[in-house]
Amino acid sequence: MKYIIILLFSVSSVAQIVDNGLYTVEYSEEYQQPLWVEYTVKCPNGKASRQGMDFWIPKDIKTSDNEDYRNNIYDKGHLAPAAAFSCDKETLLKTFSYINSALQHEGLNRGQWSKLESFERDAANFFGKEVKVRVEVLFEGKLEVLPTGATIPSGFRKIITIGDVTKSFVFPNSDTKGTKWIDYINK
């Protein structure tokens, strides 16, 4: 796969911007987590199967890996969701890179986050307009670093633009049981 990689240097870390043609991500090797991801919903009605797919580590970037997600409450949360890119197997596989994965509480990933992703696809179908999304991974307050080296995000901000309407949602990295995705709109 072809990537465009730009290195950004800051005082304490190196972040890389990667554009793989589907989504663009700024990835922190220090946190072993993405800092942000931007994408446009491509295949809201795609039918490609995820069967047999697992996350893969890209070359030349120090990312989280399977050990960071073992025996804890964190899912490999797609930031550019697989369901928005299930046009075909090759396209879908690009979403399974660890540069597109964040340590996301299983109750959030499988709960209201998933429902908001579904809304994005429904909006692309219903309005017939581009649905552009930016996900910002938040690292605020006291941060926990796993023994394996990855830092657990404190939360996530999702900014959705449909036509000329933009809405922002802020989620804590915790279980969202008993809530609705609209509860997280940033007012």
Side-chain angles (χ1 to χ4, degrees), residues 26-91:
E26 182 177 2
Y27 197 88
S28 168
E29 291 184 311
E30 178 183 2
Y31 290 155
Q32 295 178 29
Q33 295 288 284
L35 299 176
W36 56 261
V37 173
E38 293 179 340
Y39 63 91
T40 300
V41 174
K42 294 284 186 207
C43 309
N45 299 312
K47 302 287 186 220
S49 171
R50 297 179 181 203
Q51 188 172 358
M53 288 191 184
D54 200 0
F55 281 84
W56 51 275
I57 299 171
K59 288 183 179 180
D60 303 324
I61 302 174
K62 182 179 179 177
T63 66
S64 62
D65 59 35
N66 214 30
E67 291 304 308
D68 296 304
Y69 298 88
R70 191 177 313 279
N71 299 323
N72 62 37
I73 59 172
Y74 298 100
D75 281 350
K76 298 171 190 165
H78 281 89
L79 297 184
F85 297 98
S86 59
C87 318
D88 55 59
K89 287 273 200 186
E90 183 181 331
T91 303

Side-chain angles (χ1 to χ4, degrees), residues 135-152:
V135 177
E136 297 171 353
V137 183
L138 306 176
F139 296 95
E140 301 171 342
K142 186 175 182 197
L143 299 173
E144 181 181 351
V145 178
L146 296 173
T148 51
T151 302
I152 299 170

Side-chain angles (χ1 to χ4, degrees), residues 102-153:
L103 285 156
Q104 195 170 56
H105 190 288
E106 63 191 11
L108 172 59
N109 186 46
R110 301 171 199 180
Q112 297 313 311
W113 189 264
S114 176
K115 289 179 174 39
L116 186 53
E117 289 175 341
S118 189
F119 168 78
E120 294 167 24
R121 293 188 304 279
D122 290 346
N125 281 323
F126 182 76
F127 296 113
K129 295 183 180 181
E130 272 193 342
V131 176
K132 295 181 180 186
V133 182
R134 177 180 172 96
V135 177
E136 297 171 353
V137 183
L138 306 176
F139 296 95
E140 301 171 342
K142 186 175 182 197
L143 299 173
E144 181 181 351
V145 178
L146 296 173
T148 51
T151 302
I152 299 170

